[in-house]
Amino acid sequence: MTEDLQEILWQAERLPYGKARSRALEAVALRADGVDLDIAFAARLQLARSYVMGGERRKMLVPFAWCVAESDKDPARFAEDQHSLLWAFKFVGSTLVRFPEVALDMTLATLDDMERRYRLAGKSQHAVHMYRHVVARHVGDQETAQEQFRLWLSAPRDDLSDCRGCDPSGKVEHLSALGQHAEAVALARPVLEGTVTCSEQPQEMQAMVLESLVAEGLFEEAAQAHRAGYRRSRGLARNLEQVTAHVRFCAATGNEMRALEIVDAHLPLIDDADSSYARMTFGAAAAANVARAKMIRTITRTRLSPKRSPIAPTIGASTAAANRYDVRIQPVTATDVSKCSPNTGNAGTSMVCMSE
Amino acid sequence: MGGNERFQVDLRGIVDLLSHHLYSSERVFVRELLQNAVDAINARRAFDPEAPARIALVTDGSALTISDTGIGLAPEQVGEFLATIGRSSKRDEWGFQREGFLGQFGIGLLSAFMVSDRVEVLTQPVDGPATSWTGSADGTYVQTVVADRPEPGTTVRLVPKRGAEHWFVPATVRELTELFGAMLPYEITVDGVAVAGRSLPWDRSAGASRRSAEIVGLAQDTLGFTPFDVVDLDVPTAGLEGVALVLPFAANPAERATHRVYLKRMLLSEHAEGLVPDWAFFVRCVVDTTRLRPTANREALFDDPLLEEAREAIADQLRAWLVRLSVTQPEKLHRFLGIHHLGVLALAIHDDEMLRLVDRWVLFETNRGRMTLAQLREQDGMVRYVRTVEEFRAIGAVAAAQDLTVLNGGYTYAADIAERLPQIDPQVRVLAFEPTELATSFEHLDPATERAVRDFVVTAQEVMEAVGCEVILRSFEPSMLPALYLVDSEFAFGAELRRTRDQVDALWAGVLDALDEEPETAAAPQLVLNYRSSLVRRLATVEDPAVVRLTVEGLYGQALLQGNHPVRPADAALINRSFLGLLDQAVPRGKDVDR
């Protein structure tokens, strides 16, 4: 019986990230319940990661919290999984900011828990500062964001830090938001030049650095990063945040029609986006671009593609999501997304480093 | 403050860095020496196209010499090139362009110190005196003018340092020379035996059949397989030519494909990454490039915009091959898809053209046989899919009996592909099929029957309350199936969320509560009893509530097992109780011998 469970767990783990993999792991976990606690634990720990990578972020907290509780009950039994479990804490920080339904104080409390557990395990606070920074930046608390950024930069790296490919992309995003574009570009360069890569890079960096490349006048490099990054991210709902960065880039550089093509290609996927945040920001960028494109159409009398899906529902849903964030977060961000600047709100880099 | 002082750089430290951190193995010293010789020959031929082009390696067990008929160095160049590390400006003044002579002579020679403590160079240009230069690993060198060589060129002589003797074994030198230099267009000999001078296998001047034999031979010799097909690659902007060899067996898509790359006909890497897009894991390429940039250790390709461009061009050529196959050799395409469908599906997730190919050619499993998505759409006008193999097994046969075609989305990429279909066909409806929707296609009982069996349904519902399951009574095919258990994935997730919430501490329980969205919308699992089954019809008339209870529990257990659903501890207890109870009912009473 248990060997069968082990075998179906291995089979599930061999599938590529996606819903099929997550469904298969769910089935393993259910079958193992009450039969084999070790398999039930292993399947759920995998499942937390699989949800994040497979486009169902909202669900990751369930298997994760289950594993935390089991590990607390019998730490010795799951000692070998301690590292993976601590690593998965990083998915929590990046997930909670993406769902306005989770109250801010609760999110901060999970960070305290993360800090406590990292300390107990004798780990560096490097990753903790990174996520404290992400949350502070997300809610517009510039002072805390800056302080946590400083601590993040100065804390020692260890085996729970994001890899050298992923770590800079969060930093690039922050520097870019502060207008420190030259620093952002310099930090991005090793990843863009391919000296450090991982499963998330360089496509994530290629999306994050676009604004800074443009601000620095590096148009050729920006176009290159856009082409390569978009090619890697497009077509999948779980990459919607990166796609959004490419929409903004095209819209901001006078390529409204290209932006419109990207919006059209991804509108059908919006219901399947893996977070409220991804839907909202895509909707905002799409709305802003459609408004510009309409204006241009009026001026140039060119016609937009007749196949286009209606965008009004997207704008509506996006505005609703923004309102939910407003309820949760003070100070508030803009509410009318079609008027908001392309850079409103920030949930940190869209993926989580998987180079555990 | 005086003028700018120079750093003192320790040669041993540099060599140590090279051997331990730059190069993956000391074996590259052979390639670096060959490269210096090739560069020197090229530089001489730039002025004199008729100049001889020979490279000779000689091993005598105690030393290795490599001689070339290249351009040779004048005395003033020797010190500049051989004893200066990392400077490039002077080279340009001397008129050696990086492209030709590469300007890497010094670095190339430096790598010789990985295997030798003493490097002797004897060099002479066409129109100047000969120079002898001997460098030592301690960072000193001696340079003298000596008697003329028999002909212009350069000879490098290495004596093994302690522990590096194995690099000087004649067989090893020969193998490494062959490995790195076999494609070089010049005469190369090791101890008098020729090892190179071969034309590139894909050279068309050899004639079509010879060429194809050369390519297949190359694949067999160096890669170990006979290719399923050969795709020609040609990317002029990258000066790249070669072949993509299609694997005749399934490759693991998660492993990064590596390729054999020659740079100006010198082997750069047997395992270069990044030459083809990730989706093309079904090919191994062998290419020669004149313009792509190597990394500093010359063991991999530098991932720059030019490589990106080459990768795009190669992707186009592979795509075109697939499309051509679909038009001219559909049977071969089917065989290809039989081997590599996973890669093609992975590709279709990002690429509309491949998605069209998959739509038309790849057979998917449905509950009404294997068919293409195009056939499925033509037949139904829509695509219904379930997300797991388990769900497919649980409902496939029953759905087919209701004339509903359901795609098994549980296999790798199948659901992702189905969800992408609207991007190539805006008319198509793609529906994630939740099992409980199946019940909506079942026939209701007529009102009179419904009234007659109401008490039975109420009793059955009470029984199933214990496992949180709703009971409904419908008529459906196949009539042999008495009961069907249907559960939606969303419901299952909601149940898991609430179970987990009840066992974690307050912090995480709060977080889970916040994420528990609209529990009302997900349909509860259903036990659908089939009124067309004579067992169920008879059961509906049974008066004894104990028998109804045991039988409904038994049907629930049977439906769980039939549908391959997980059996939770509560389910197992219920099935046990039912099984024993039914046995107890079945065995006649009153014959207990002990009584």
Side-chain angles (χ1 to χ4, degrees):
Chain A
M1 182 75 184
T2 304
E3 282 103 67
D4 292 351
L5 285 170
Q6 183 65 62
E7 178 58 33
I8 58 170
L9 175 60
W10 282 336
Q11 279 174 11
E13 287 173 352
R14 278 199 289 270
L15 292 168
Y17 286 114
K19 287 178 182 155
R21 184 181 203 266
S22 301
R23 293 297 88 73
L25 287 168
E26 285 168 1
V28 179
L30 273 184
R31 274 165 212 277
D33 280 347
V35 179
D36 186 329
L37 183 59
D38 294 311
I39 301 259
F41 187 93
R44 282 185 172 83
L45 199 49
Q46 273 290 331
L47 189 53
R49 169 185 284 250
S50 189
Y51 281 145
V52 174
M53 291 298 284
E56 297 178 285
R57 231 177 221 285
R58 171 182 212 102
K59 295 181 173 176
M60 70 109 349
L61 270 311
V62 175
F64 172 77
W66 189 99
C67 289
V68 171
E70 286 299 326
S71 167
D72 285 351
K73 262 190 252 168
D74 189 353
R77 178 167 190 165
F78 302 108
E80 275 187 21
D81 297 298
Q82 194 60 27
H83 181 266
S84 297
L85 193 61
L86 289 175
W87 186 281
F89 259 95
K90 303 199 294 180
F91 309 157
V92 176
S94 65
T95 296
L96 293 187
V97 291
R98 291 182 156 74
F99 295 94
E101 40 278 63
V102 181
L104 180 59
D105 56 355
M106 217 179 262
T107 304
L108 293 174
T110 65
L111 287 170
D112 293 342
D113 197 37
M114 177 179 181
E115 174 173 339
R116 181 177 65 84
R117 288 169 189 273
Y118 274 47
R119 267 191 214 296
L120 279 178
K123 298 298 182 182
S124 167
Q125 293 290 305
H126 185 259
V128 177
H129 291 308
M130 170 175 175
Y131 284 100
R132 285 199 184 283
H133 162 81
V134 164
V135 173
R137 183 150 53 89
H138 173 60
V139 299
D141 179 354
Q142 289 305 336
E143 204 176 313
T144 309
Q146 195 58 37
E147 173 63 3
Q148 289 297 329
F149 189 68
R150 184 184 68 75
L151 292 167
W152 175 16
L153 291 177
S154 54
R157 289 178 55 85
D158 69 0
D159 58 354
L160 287 170
S161 301
D162 276 6
C163 75
R164 289 181 187 278
C166 289
D167 191 66
S169 59
K171 293 174 177 164
V172 163
E173 206 179 5
H174 179 59
L175 293 170
S176 173
L178 290 180
Q180 292 170 237
H181 297 297
E183 282 173 78
V185 170
L187 203 53
R189 201 132 259 155
V191 178
L192 294 180
E193 289 175 355
T195 37
V196 271
T197 62
C198 72
S199 62
E200 313 315 314
Q201 307 296 347
Q203 62 270 29
E204 183 182 67
M205 183 64 88
Q206 281 162 336
M208 293 305 148
V209 77
L210 288 170
E211 192 189 333
S212 290
L213 288 175
V214 172
E216 288 293 294
L218 300 167
F219 302 121
E220 198 42 57
E221 266 183 82
Q224 161 74 10
H226 160 64
R227 278 193 296 268
Y230 178 62
R231 186 173 53 77
R232 287 193 171 92
S233 312
R234 72 194 181 134
L236 279 181
R238 58 176 177 257
N239 295 335
L240 201 60
E241 288 181 28
Q242 287 172 27
V243 170
T244 300
H246 291 287
V247 170
R248 285 176 182 157
F249 165 75
C250 291
T253 51
N255 297 293
E256 288 84 359
M257 292 303 147
R258 162 96 170 156
L260 209 54
E261 272 172 36
I262 299 176
V263 168
D264 283 347
H266 290 84
L267 267 184
L269 299 179
I270 194 165
D271 287 338
D272 209 27
D274 76 348
S275 71
S276 312
Y277 179 81
R279 268 191 289 274
M280 176 183 80
T281 47
F282 178 79
N289 183 65
V290 169
R292 288 177 67 120
K294 275 184 179 158
M295 202 170 69
I296 292 163
R297 180 182 57 165
T298 321
I299 299 165
T300 62
R301 293 174 178 275
T302 49
R303 294 178 63 190
L304 299 182
S305 151
K307 280 200 315 194
R308 303 196 40 250
S309 320
I311 195 167
T314 302
I315 298 176
S318 206
T319 308
N323 286 332
R324 295 176 78 184
Y325 273 111
D326 289 353
V327 172
R328 183 179 85 162
I329 295 165
Q330 300 294 336
V332 297
T333 48
T335 49
D336 181 352
V337 294
S338 62
K339 286 183 194 149
C340 75
S341 92
N343 293 316
T344 302
N346 223 323
T349 50
S350 62
M351 280 297 189
V352 175
C353 177
M354 289 290 157
S355 307
E356 186 189 337
Chain B
M1 288 274 185
N4 286 345
E5 301 289 331
R6 290 224 174 263
F7 275 16
Q8 294 301 310
V9 179
D10 178 54
L11 184 62
R12 281 185 202 277
I14 298 269
V15 170
D16 187 60
L17 271 177
L18 287 183
S19 52
H20 292 115
H21 300 286
L22 184 64
Y23 297 121
S24 60
S25 156
E26 281 100 345
R27 75 212 296 251
V28 298
F29 84 95
V30 173
R31 185 197 58 202
E32 292 299 318
L33 293 176
L34 278 174
Q35 189 69 56
N36 278 353
V38 167
D39 292 341
I41 289 174
N42 288 340
R44 183 168 171 197
R45 287 196 145 196
F47 303 105
D48 175 10
E50 300 302 317
R54 292 190 314 274
I55 301 169
L57 292 91
V58 176
T59 61
D60 62 10
S62 63
L64 166 69
T65 59
I66 172 169
S67 307
D68 66 63
T69 56
I71 192 163
L73 297 175
E76 64 274 25
Q77 294 169 330
V78 170
E80 188 64 40
F81 286 163
L82 271 46
T84 306
I85 297 166
R87 193 195 295 175
S88 61
S89 59
K90 257 284 157 56
R91 288 184 194 108
D92 296 335
E93 280 172 35
W94 289 111
F96 298 107
Q97 284 157 12
R98 279 175 160 261
E99 285 271 314
F101 199 28
L102 278 171
Q104 304 276 356
F105 192 85
I107 290 286
L109 206 59
L110 204 54
S111 72
F113 283 107
M114 294 194 298
V115 295
S116 175
D117 279 334
R118 211 165 71 121
V119 176
E120 299 166 23
V121 178
L122 179 62
T123 184
Q124 181 168 25
V126 177
D127 51 2
T131 309
S132 158
W133 179 94
T134 301
S136 298
D138 63 10
T140 59
Y141 68 91
V142 180
Q143 181 179 340
T144 48
V145 173
V146 290
D148 281 357
R149 290 166 50 98
E151 62 176 326
T154 301
T155 300
V156 178
R157 181 165 188 276
L158 310 181
V159 177
K161 71 176 176 188
R162 170 105 10 123
E165 293 85 358
H166 59 283
W167 294 115
F168 291 73
V169 174
T172 303
V173 171
R174 187 187 162 82
E175 277 163 21
L176 290 175
T177 307
E178 245 167 9
L179 174 71
F180 291 115
M183 297 286 176
L184 290 168
Y186 304 135
E187 181 191 319
I188 301 179
T189 57
V190 178
D191 296 331
V193 181
V195 296
R198 200 192 282 176
S199 65
L200 292 168
W202 47 85
D203 184 3
R204 286 178 195 284
S205 63
S209 68
R210 174 73 199 274
R211 173 175 188 267
S212 135
E214 284 284 335
I215 291 170
V216 171
L218 173 79
Q220 290 170 337
D221 292 348
T222 61
L223 305 174
F225 64 84
T226 306
F228 175 88
D229 205 350
V230 176
V231 186
D232 290 325
L233 302 176
D234 184 12
V235 186
T237 50
L240 181 146
E241 271 186 58
V243 284
L245 304 157
V246 181
L247 289 171
F249 48 79
N252 178 0
E255 269 170 33
R256 296 196 72 153
T258 62
H259 309 280
R260 199 176 179 91
V261 174
Y262 292 83
L263 180 62
K264 296 180 184 160
R265 304 183 64 156
M266 176 78 80
L267 181 72
L268 179 74
S269 172
E270 293 175 276
H271 307 287
E273 292 189 2
L275 188 64
V276 305
D278 292 342
W279 55 260
F281 61 77
F282 50 83
V283 296
R284 297 286 177 271
C285 298
V286 182
V287 300
D288 180 46
T289 170
T290 55
R291 301 199 50 207
L292 290 178
R293 275 173 64 199
T295 52
N297 61 7
R298 299 178 56 83
E299 293 182 21
L301 290 172
F302 193 70
D303 202 348
D304 61 3
L306 190 58
L307 179 59
E308 171 82 27
E309 203 182 316
R311 192 159 49 221
E312 294 277 341
I314 290 173
D316 285 343
Q317 288 164 24
L318 291 173
R319 243 190 238 113
W321 168 76
L322 275 173
V323 172
R324 203 160 58 236
L325 217 54
S326 74
V327 177
T328 58
Q329 291 175 283
E331 191 274 331
K332 191 166 185 178
L333 178 66
H334 271 298
R335 276 194 292 132
F336 170 80
L337 290 173
I339 304 169
H340 295 298
H341 70 282
L342 275 185
V344 175
L345 295 185
L347 161 58
I349 286 176
H350 296 282
D351 187 297
D352 289 350
E353 206 174 318
M354 281 301 109
L355 184 59
R356 286 192 189 94
L357 190 92
V358 167
D359 184 41
R360 258 180 308 150
W361 295 96
V362 177
L363 294 171
F364 285 90
E365 182 178 19
T366 79
N367 59 340
R368 306 169 94 186
R370 287 161 64 78
M371 60 178 87
T372 65
L373 292 173
Q375 285 165 333
L376 178 56
R377 290 188 288 130
E378 196 173 321
Q379 181 185 303
D380 285 21
M382 65 179 307
V383 174
R384 279 182 209 88
Y385 69 94
V386 289
R387 287 230 168 90
T388 64
V389 179
E390 281 78 15
E391 276 182 6
F392 182 77
R393 290 199 190 123
I395 66 159
V398 182
Q402 323 308 315
D403 274 343
L404 290 174
T405 312
V406 178
L407 171 75
N408 182 355
Y411 287 120
T412 306
Y413 301 127
D416 287 329
I417 297 278
E419 283 173 3
R420 281 250 298 141
L421 280 177
Q423 299 197 20
I424 55 167
D425 178 2
Q427 309 303 322
V428 71
R429 275 186 62 217
V430 177
L431 200 67
F433 190 68
E434 289 289 357
T436 54
E437 282 170 41
L438 186 57
T440 61
S441 66
F442 296 157
E443 200 178 308
H444 283 258
L445 309 193
D446 66 72
T449 318
E450 191 127 23
R451 273 194 299 280
V453 298
R454 176 173 286 162
D455 287 350
F456 163 69
V457 174
V458 169
T459 310
Q461 182 61 63
E462 281 168 12
V463 175
M464 284 295 97
E465 222 103 277
V467 284
C469 176
E470 186 187 317
V471 177
I472 59 173
L473 188 57
R474 297 280 189 276
S475 288
F476 59 91
E477 292 299 325
S479 59
M480 298 118 66
L481 189 73
L484 184 64
Y485 178 76
L486 300 174
V487 61
D488 293 352
S489 57
E490 279 310 304
F491 180 87
F493 176 74
E496 169 81 4
L497 184 148
R498 287 181 279 281
R499 265 199 309 280
T500 304
R501 181 195 56 202
D502 294 343
Q503 69 179 76
V504 302
D505 68 24
L507 168 63
W508 298 103
V511 172
L512 294 186
D513 253 336
L515 288 169
D516 186 4
E517 61 178 359
E518 307 131 32
E520 319 317 323
T521 59
Q526 295 172 335
L527 181 69
V528 193
L529 298 175
N530 185 3
Y531 202 65
R532 257 177 226 169
S533 148
S534 82
L535 172 65
V536 172
R537 274 204 308 278
R538 281 182 288 138
L539 180 64
T541 64
V542 170
E543 302 270 322
D544 183 351
V547 174
V548 171
R549 175 181 191 90
L550 291 172
T551 313
V552 169
E553 286 173 346
L555 287 172
Y556 170 76
Q558 193 269 342
L560 280 189
L561 298 175
Q562 165 90 16
N564 202 28
H565 297 285
V567 176
R568 297 168 292 162
D571 300 324
L574 181 140
I575 294 168
N576 271 332
R577 191 171 65 222
S578 158
F579 187 61
L580 287 176
L582 288 169
L583 290 179
D584 190 51
Q585 295 276 340
V587 177
R589 291 170 187 277
K591 291 187 179 174
D592 191 330
V593 289
D594 285 350
R595 189 167 285 172

